[in-house]
Amino acid sequence: MPGLRRSALIGALLVALGACTGGPTGTPATTSTTSSAPPVERVYVSLGDSYATGYRPAEAGTPAGATRDGFAYLVAGQSDLRLINLACSGATSAQMRGAPGCAPGNRAPDAPDPAGRTQLDAAVQALREHQGRVGLVTVVIGGNDLAPCAQAQDALACASRAVADVRANLAATLPALREAAGDAPIVGLTYPDVFLGAWVSPVFPDGQSLARLSVPLFRDFFNTALKAEYDKIGATFVDVTATTGGYGPLTEVTQDPTYGPIPTPVAKVCALTYFCGQTDVHPTAAGHEAIASAVLTATGR
């Protein structure tokens, strides 16, 4: 029937026009593209020693132990990353790659049980399990290798051996981390020059000489060696010694509320670590904030 076919054609034409104009009112057509898929969770894997676990000594009734004040927790919180903190307080560079397990009291808060694995093995497993979702890896190690040299009869010879050991252990550790991490950013850290605090510490009979010696030790020896190893795997090296004022001239004096007129770099390390008051190498809350800020700046976060 011609009339019926004509009506069908007109109807089809009107439907087509409606589709082009968004409907009979001529409003633009819209298409819903809302997705219900949750955002991809990205992780941050932390390795190292007590700096990474957030350890602090007993103070004002607060017991000693690992805390969430550590720089790794601050970085994770400000980067919206889920922290997998595999660090172990007291670890040396050799133990990070060769010592299985970590005593519960030496682990970071909420740390996974290493289940008899070394830090390196646990990190490689975590990185592979989260391939494509790793936002950051940090490594802070070597302080426990170097710390005994402060009390050594020949501090320079002791430091030379310690730095050689750290470098050899990093050379054996970092390539495995890079392979497992893929293109994820890896950041290697050093430490504040805590030995500057010997300037005011009664524990050291010639503390000012140790403080003076520590500046070139960190600047020209220890940190140079660390940077060379991190550079080999394309990691970013954050010179925490520099960012905490450790290379400043010891001839520049400031008035410290506790110790009176002392070199400015010494005053800074007294504020950022517990070394001056307790001969303890760990950062204060302000020290961890300074380290976290340096990491965030280096990673563009």
Side-chain angles (χ1 to χ4, degrees):
M1 298 172 63
L4 185 59
R5 285 198 297 271
R6 183 178 180 185
S7 298
L9 288 172
I10 292 173
L13 179 60
L14 289 173
V15 170
L17 288 172
C20 292
T21 61
T25 60
T27 56
T30 59
T31 303
S32 175
T33 58
T34 302
S35 172
S36 59
V40 175
E41 180 186 57
R42 296 176 68 78
V43 301
Y44 161 23
V45 178
S46 166
L47 295 88
D49 53 29
S50 52
Y51 265 57
T53 67
Y55 179 92
R56 68 180 175 204
E59 182 184 40
T62 302
T67 73
R68 291 180 179 81
D69 295 333
F71 79 86
Y73 295 90
L74 300 177
V75 169
Q78 295 184 52
S79 303
D80 197 25
L81 299 170
R82 179 170 70 85
L83 178 62
I84 303 174
N85 199 338
L86 302 172
C88 187
S89 293
T92 64
S93 59
Q95 290 169 342
M96 187 171 75
R97 73 183 185 92
C102 179
N106 289 354
R107 298 176 199 165
D110 300 324
D113 185 345
R117 297 167 298 173
T118 67
Q119 270 195 68
L120 176 59
D121 289 341
V124 167
Q125 180 177 332
L127 291 169
R128 288 176 176 166
E129 288 176 351
H130 296 87
Q131 190 173 27
R133 295 182 288 124
V134 179
L136 179 64
V137 180
T138 60
V139 184
V140 55
I141 201 73
N144 290 312
D145 300 70
L146 191 61
C149 297
Q151 302 281 9
Q153 186 172 359
D154 188 341
L156 195 56
C158 174
S160 179
R161 291 190 296 270
V163 171
D165 288 344
V166 172
R167 188 160 190 176
N169 288 318
L170 284 177
T173 299
L174 296 179
L177 277 182
R178 171 50 75 200
E179 189 276 332
D183 294 332
I186 299 177
V187 173
L189 302 168
T190 184
Y191 306 83
D193 180 359
V194 294
F195 299 148
L196 285 170
W199 189 283
V200 298
S201 174
V203 173
F204 301 92
D206 193 9
Q208 292 190 12
S209 293
L210 176 59
R212 290 189 181 96
L213 178 64
S214 72
V215 177
L217 171 63
F218 272 86
R219 183 189 61 213
D220 306 328
F221 196 30
F222 184 56
N223 291 344
T224 300
L226 293 179
K227 184 177 186 302
E229 295 306 320
Y230 288 111
D231 284 348
K232 289 178 182 178
I233 64 159
T236 300
F237 178 68
V238 174
D239 190 340
V240 174
T241 315
T243 61
T244 53
Y247 300 152
L250 294 176
T251 53
E252 181 183 304
V253 175
T254 190
Q255 187 71 26
D256 184 87
T258 302
Y259 302 104
I262 57 174
T264 299
V266 175
K268 287 181 178 178
V269 85
C270 288
L272 298 177
T273 77
Y274 291 98
F275 197 87
C276 298
Q278 300 189 36
T279 322
D280 186 286
V281 300
H282 296 99
T284 59
H288 277 294
E289 289 173 4
I291 296 170
S293 177
V295 172
L296 291 165
T297 298
T299 55
R301 297 177 183 274

